[in-house]
Amino acid sequence: MLPTGRSSSVAWATKTRREIRDTGTADGSVVVVPVGSIEQHGHHLPVATDTLLADAVSHLGAERVADDVPLLVTPPIWSGFSPHHTSLGGTMTLELEHLLALLEDVADTALENGFDGICFVNGHGGNASVIDNVVSTVGKSNPEAEVAGLTYFQLADSFIDEIRESDVGGMAHGGEFETSLMLHLHADLVTMDDADAEYLDEPYERGTQDLLVGGALSTYREFEEYSASGAIGDPSLASAAKGEELFDRLGNELADVLCSVSEQAR
């Protein structure tokens, strides 16, 4: 389990087996699985950024509904599907089928503890298609369970324009969004003197333009074709204050999702 710098009342890893079973067998119980990656994030952010953020948002959302929903958050899945980052160094990636199998095994064994539902909380765009697929495969193998999954930063879609200062392309990989969250949660791991502003320049009009501005078209490129530093966006516009607001509002959005998963699971 990666250290998050947070103590949490909903952490699976700190519970005894009896406590886990007691939570799992409660009506409407939900297990939350953060899914991240270990991949380069330019010169100013650590390679664990996606894992740290998915884990932190998962715990915040879960803590906010813990009085009403029986739930636990597992240790984060720290490696994802990141082959497009490997040439820049610092990245550890799983093969697509291995990540899918890992998530299935984690979900199946977690649900064996009596939980009625499960929610995967993803923090890396390259994992998104795997999350979509594992919801289906775990749902098929556990027909009595409510199975859901999301990518946490997409929860900001409804409010991001109230916070962002960058133009489209400024909240991509290691840009204003992720850097702000890291400045709020893990400022000691951020080196702003090494942050480079480089907006995403996607040649396809219908391709992905930003973390929160998607497109219909998927493409594959090695990451250095987009960025010499390995980061894309404008981290110079990031601040701990923005990160605090983003974190708070993301926690509220996820809390709402977890309540809904619990209701559907009852």
Side-chain angles (χ1 to χ4, degrees):
M1 180 175 65
L2 286 173
T4 64
R6 298 165 52 81
S7 60
S8 174
S9 62
V10 294
W12 178 296
T14 64
K15 304 298 183 184
T16 66
R17 65 183 181 89
R18 180 179 295 167
E19 290 171 324
I20 292 169
R21 283 293 179 93
D22 287 347
T23 302
T25 54
D27 190 30
S29 59
V30 179
V31 58
V32 182
V33 183
V35 185
S37 66
I38 296 293
E39 64 184 38
Q40 68 79 30
H41 271 72
H43 302 307
H44 67 295
L45 293 180
V47 296
T49 291
D50 291 345
T51 302
L52 291 168
L53 296 182
D55 187 57
V57 172
S58 294
H59 278 87
L60 181 64
E63 288 164 0
R64 289 190 169 174
V65 296
D67 290 341
D68 302 310
V69 176
L71 81 179
L72 291 174
V73 181
T74 72
I77 307 301
W78 58 262
S79 184
F81 184 60
S82 308
H84 47 305
H85 289 277
T86 56
S87 61
L88 288 169
T91 297
M92 290 187 285
T93 184
L94 296 173
E95 294 296 333
L96 190 71
E97 61 271 24
H98 296 166
L99 177 58
L100 180 62
L102 172 62
L103 295 175
E104 289 172 340
D105 287 348
V106 168
D108 289 343
T109 53
L111 289 168
E112 286 176 3
N113 288 274
F115 285 85
D116 296 320
I118 187 167
C119 184
F120 297 94
V121 179
N122 174 44
H124 167 51
N127 293 342
S129 63
V130 184
I131 297 300
D132 288 343
N133 280 299
V134 78
V135 167
S136 295
T137 58
V138 171
K140 180 180 178 182
S141 61
N142 298 274
E144 300 304 314
E146 182 70 16
V147 184
L150 57 87
T151 296
Y152 85 86
F153 49 78
Q154 293 178 340
L155 294 173
D157 183 67
S158 64
F159 61 78
I160 195 61
D161 288 340
E162 301 171 28
I163 300 173
R164 75 180 300 163
E165 292 182 81
S166 62
D167 294 330
V168 172
M171 283 188 163
H173 181 73
E176 182 186 9
F177 187 95
E178 289 182 318
T179 304
S180 291
L181 283 169
M182 287 297 290
L183 285 170
H184 170 55
L185 293 165
H186 298 284
D188 58 316
L189 302 180
V190 182
T191 310
M192 289 303 292
D193 288 345
D194 294 332
D196 297 315
E198 190 170 356
Y199 276 66
L200 177 61
D201 183 18
E202 170 54 57
Y204 286 107
E205 181 181 346
R206 293 178 176 82
T208 297
Q209 304 296 324
D210 205 314
L211 278 180
L212 293 160
V213 183
L217 186 67
S218 296
T219 60
Y220 180 85
R221 291 186 184 83
E222 296 294 329
F223 215 78
E224 64 262 34
E225 294 185 45
Y226 288 115
S227 167
S229 71
I232 306 174
D234 197 344
S236 70
L237 296 175
S239 70
K242 283 182 188 174
E244 183 177 13
E245 183 175 1
L246 285 168
F247 189 55
D248 179 60
R249 296 180 74 165
L250 287 165
N252 288 338
E253 295 289 332
L254 182 58
D256 184 62
V257 171
L258 296 176
C259 283
S260 296
V261 173
S262 177
E263 289 170 6
Q264 291 297 317
R266 293 180 189 274

